[in-house]
Amino acid sequence: MDKINRRTVLQLLGAAPVAAGFTWTDAEAAQAATAAQSARTAPFTPTFFTAHEYATVRVLVDLIIPRDDRSGSATDAGVPEFMDFMLDEQPNRQTAMRGGLAWLDRQCELRYEKRFVDCAADQRAAVLDDIAWPKTAKPEFRHGVAFFNSFRDLTASGFFSSQMGVQDLKYLGNVMVAEWKGCPPEALKKLGV
């Protein structure tokens, strides 16, 4: 694939506001999570992302939610598949995602003469450090900040709507109680009752 030039990135980013392009309803997220989980039974071929975009998404989601002692990574939870389903079903949000991924590659090409997925870990971290903290980010990185905030939100939505994410939260949901003994004394004490 050819290098991405500044004009292409600006055209993509200018076509749709980045942050507005990533607003999801709970129902949309739940539908995509279900579809992503069912896709995990066979090798996945993205329908929205190009091969390069999908590789970038896989790296980026795992930098946002890496594997740890408590649970697997965002990729382990099916977040890239979740994102592909979400964006394939939402054409009005596709330009913002493509523009943001192109912006990320453009920044890496300007700094290191290679795309995001080809950068070393410290190079990726340097680019992400410039866009991950909105309050301290330089004004010239505003498009990157908006993209990263939305991408991070979508990553978290995908992860925490997956089975792995729910287990990571240790959410029990509604549990049958055979006998109600009233509110525990420590809870009453905390509430001052």
Side-chain angles (χ1 to χ4, degrees):
M1 182 178 226
D2 295 333
K3 284 189 170 185
I4 297 169
N5 64 38
R6 184 170 197 259
R7 180 179 303 273
T8 302
V9 171
L10 291 175
Q11 286 173 339
L12 288 169
L13 289 173
V18 174
F22 288 134
T23 305
W24 314 100
T25 66
D26 291 342
E28 291 169 334
Q31 178 186 10
T34 301
Q37 289 302 318
S38 64
R40 308 255 341 161
T41 58
F44 184 76
T45 302
T47 54
F48 167 70
F49 291 115
T50 66
H52 173 73
E53 290 170 339
Y54 194 66
T56 303
V57 167
R58 291 179 61 86
V59 170
L60 190 52
V61 297
D62 281 352
L63 290 172
I64 294 170
I65 301 179
R67 181 177 297 127
D68 61 14
D69 295 339
R70 189 167 155 152
S71 67
S73 68
T75 296
D76 295 334
V79 172
E81 293 90 340
F82 167 86
M83 286 186 174
D84 190 67
F85 279 109
M86 292 292 282
L87 290 154
D88 192 51
E89 295 292 321
Q90 305 282 325
N92 60 327
R93 297 174 174 154
Q94 294 174 353
T95 302
M97 175 61 81
R98 288 225 152 87
L101 293 171
W103 183 93
L104 199 59
D105 274 340
R106 178 70 180 149
Q107 280 300 308
C108 291
E109 287 174 350
L110 288 172
R111 296 179 192 196
Y112 312 113
E113 298 183 354
K114 47 188 155 182
R115 291 183 167 186
F116 183 77
V117 294
D118 299 321
C119 286
D122 62 327
Q123 294 169 331
R124 292 177 188 157
V127 172
L128 295 180
D129 282 346
D130 285 341
I131 59 176
W133 313 103
K135 290 183 180 177
T136 59
K138 295 177 182 172
E140 62 264 29
F141 294 133
R142 71 181 182 283
H143 290 300
V145 169
F147 164 71
F148 188 76
N149 281 343
S150 297
F151 192 93
R152 181 176 44 208
D153 290 348
L154 189 55
T155 300
S157 295
F159 183 80
F160 290 110
S161 62
S162 72
Q163 185 175 7
M164 182 182 294
V166 171
Q167 289 171 348
D168 185 78
L169 290 172
K170 301 188 185 307
Y171 177 70
L172 299 176
N174 294 329
V175 177
M176 176 67 179
V177 178
E179 180 185 352
W180 176 247
K181 296 179 181 175
C183 191
E186 58 271 8
L188 293 172
K189 182 178 178 185
K190 183 176 180 179
L191 294 171
V193 181

